[in-house]
Amino acid sequence: MATKIRLIWIDWMKAIGIYLIVYGHLESVANQYVYTFSVPLFFIISGFLCKHEDDDGVFWKKLWFNLVVPMLLISCITFAIDFVIDYRNGAFELSSLYEFPVNVLLGFHEGVKQLWFVYTLIILKIVLQFTPQKVYSQAALFVLFTVAGILVDYYSPIVCGVNLVESSNSIINSTLAFPFFLTGFWLRKRKNELNEMHKPVAEIIVLVACLAIVILCGKYNSLVKMYINGYGDNIILFFLGGYAGTIMIFIISKWLNRFKFNGVITISKGTILILGFHMYFLIHLVRKISAEASYMDIVWSLVVVILFIPIILFTEKYIPLLMGKYRAKS
């Protein structure tokens, strides 16, 4: 049996991507440029790592252990933390006990919080698994989801008194996330070509061009808030920024591919933990130490990500369900 080769550049992309997510949540300087591509980057990576399963039973098993179980466990832990904090501050409301499971089940931010991304990813994987695998069918879905995202953002539907856009609903967010996810899935077919690509001069030119595009998109498009189905003011700039930023991180990650650091691989495997818990334990602490946004946040974000390495290693050894029983290998 042939041994699968780990693509270290994917680990670098995931590590850089989660670093950018942490930096974005610090609401620091140049945040509008980071938000231009940080979330699209992760959906493209997720699509690249997604595999259509011939056996639906295998698909549901992997989906359950890789995404659903970690999302539910982390959501329950973060709810328990909120419960303790609210109780000590005298802000606890009994209604939260029955609202929480409903919010988790329906994918609202009040339930899944930063793991809205994971809930949305679950939706995307199901869509891709149970729709025709023909390119033209998927291209039609690309257009359909994009148009649906624009319409939903424009009309902001209200159901039972709840604005589905402003309340950050993960199902709604799947509309604008699907095109990026599908792009990554298409790129998976070019995995060997991407892995072997080595054209330094061309890569530098493309990198500079993509950086310029990200800067222009960040300047002329408003803040991209995909957690509330937001694409800014311009859907074209939204896609340009998302793709340009991803290409930029891909090129940088390919340059770093020669450096196989265990810490980077660990961070790559534990992105769901960082995503789920960084706001609770470290972002608030950073803002107590350094209240004002500054370029020092570049360093603080790196410190936050690095501090998660021992947490990920401990979790992987003793609480593997928090990270997914079946891990997709890059």
Side-chain angles (χ1 to χ4, degrees):
M1 181 180 294
T3 303
K4 290 185 178 180
I5 299 175
R6 188 177 190 94
L7 303 181
I8 303 302
W9 53 271
I10 284 289
D11 290 317
W12 275 106
M13 287 187 75
K14 290 177 69 178
I16 295 172
I18 197 65
Y19 166 81
L20 292 172
I21 295 293
V22 172
Y23 182 82
H25 285 162
L26 278 172
E27 299 180 357
S28 193
V29 293
N31 214 32
Q32 72 272 27
Y33 303 106
V34 173
Y35 267 62
T36 296
F37 66 91
S38 57
V39 179
L41 165 67
F42 252 109
F43 278 118
I44 290 175
I45 294 172
S46 299
F48 185 85
L49 294 175
C50 179
K51 176 186 176 183
H52 181 271
E53 298 292 346
D54 295 328
D55 186 334
D56 289 344
V58 172
F59 168 77
W60 287 115
K61 189 173 185 179
K62 287 185 175 181
L63 189 75
W64 175 255
F65 284 109
N66 284 349
L67 297 176
V68 178
V69 170
M71 183 191 72
L72 293 176
L73 290 176
I74 293 174
S75 295
C76 288
I77 293 171
T78 55
F79 174 76
I81 295 171
D82 285 337
F83 173 85
V84 172
I85 293 174
D86 290 343
Y87 185 80
R88 293 185 63 181
N89 294 335
F92 169 72
E93 296 181 3
L94 188 61
S95 60
S96 65
L97 293 177
Y98 62 81
E99 289 174 352
F100 167 69
V102 174
N103 285 327
V104 171
L105 179 63
L106 298 179
F108 284 104
H109 192 273
E110 284 298 312
V112 295
K113 294 187 168 47
Q114 282 70 42
L115 293 187
W116 72 264
F117 173 90
V118 177
Y119 192 112
T120 298
L121 186 57
I122 291 169
I123 299 297
L124 301 181
K125 281 179 169 286
I126 293 173
V127 170
L128 195 62
Q129 177 68 20
F130 296 102
T131 52
Q133 295 302 296
K134 303 294 184 181
V135 174
Y136 63 84
S137 298
Q138 293 175 344
L141 286 174
F142 184 107
V143 175
L144 180 63
F145 271 76
T146 302
V147 172
I150 295 172
L151 292 176
V152 167
D153 184 69
Y154 181 79
Y155 288 105
S156 292
I158 297 176
V159 178
C160 298
V162 178
N163 189 307
L164 297 182
V165 173
E166 294 180 359
S167 59
S168 181
N169 181 265
S170 303
I171 301 173
I172 295 296
N173 293 340
S174 67
T175 57
L176 292 178
F178 183 77
F180 292 113
F181 179 78
L182 184 58
T183 299
F185 182 75
W186 283 338
L187 288 173
R188 179 184 177 88
K189 299 174 183 178
R190 305 292 181 185
K191 180 168 64 175
N192 292 335
E193 296 172 36
L194 293 172
N195 188 48
E196 296 171 4
M197 191 182 76
H198 181 67
K199 298 179 180 179
V201 176
E203 288 168 7
I204 292 174
I205 294 172
V206 172
L207 179 66
V208 172
C210 287
L211 177 60
I213 292 172
V214 167
I215 292 173
L216 288 173
C217 291
K219 182 177 181 180
Y220 293 105
N221 196 15
S222 61
L223 189 64
V224 173
K225 301 178 180 179
M226 287 190 68
Y227 63 93
I228 53 172
N229 195 59
Y231 56 84
D233 295 325
N234 189 297
I235 191 69
I236 295 177
L237 293 180
F238 167 66
F239 280 117
L240 279 176
Y243 287 129
T246 299
I247 293 171
M248 188 170 62
I249 299 304
F250 164 71
I251 292 173
I252 293 172
S253 298
K254 283 299 299 290
W255 290 348
L256 295 170
N257 188 58
R258 69 187 68 179
F259 305 109
K260 185 179 180 180
F261 296 137
N262 289 333
V264 171
I265 296 175
T266 299
I267 291 167
S268 171
K269 291 190 293 183
T271 51
I272 194 168
L273 290 180
I274 302 175
L275 189 64
F277 292 121
H278 73 279
M279 291 289 287
Y280 281 86
F281 299 118
L282 296 173
I283 292 294
H284 296 318
L285 178 60
V286 168
R287 277 293 165 251
K288 286 184 178 180
I289 298 173
S290 177
E292 297 295 327
S294 70
Y295 285 105
M296 268 302 295
D297 290 333
I298 295 174
V299 177
W300 284 120
S301 300
L302 182 60
V303 170
V304 168
V305 172
I306 291 175
L307 286 176
F308 263 97
I309 292 177
I311 297 173
I312 295 169
L313 292 174
F314 176 87
T315 303
E316 186 178 32
K317 184 175 182 179
Y318 297 105
I319 325 173
L321 281 178
L322 270 179
M323 295 174 57
K325 183 177 180 181
Y326 295 92
R327 304 300 303 170
K329 295 182 179 180
S330 54

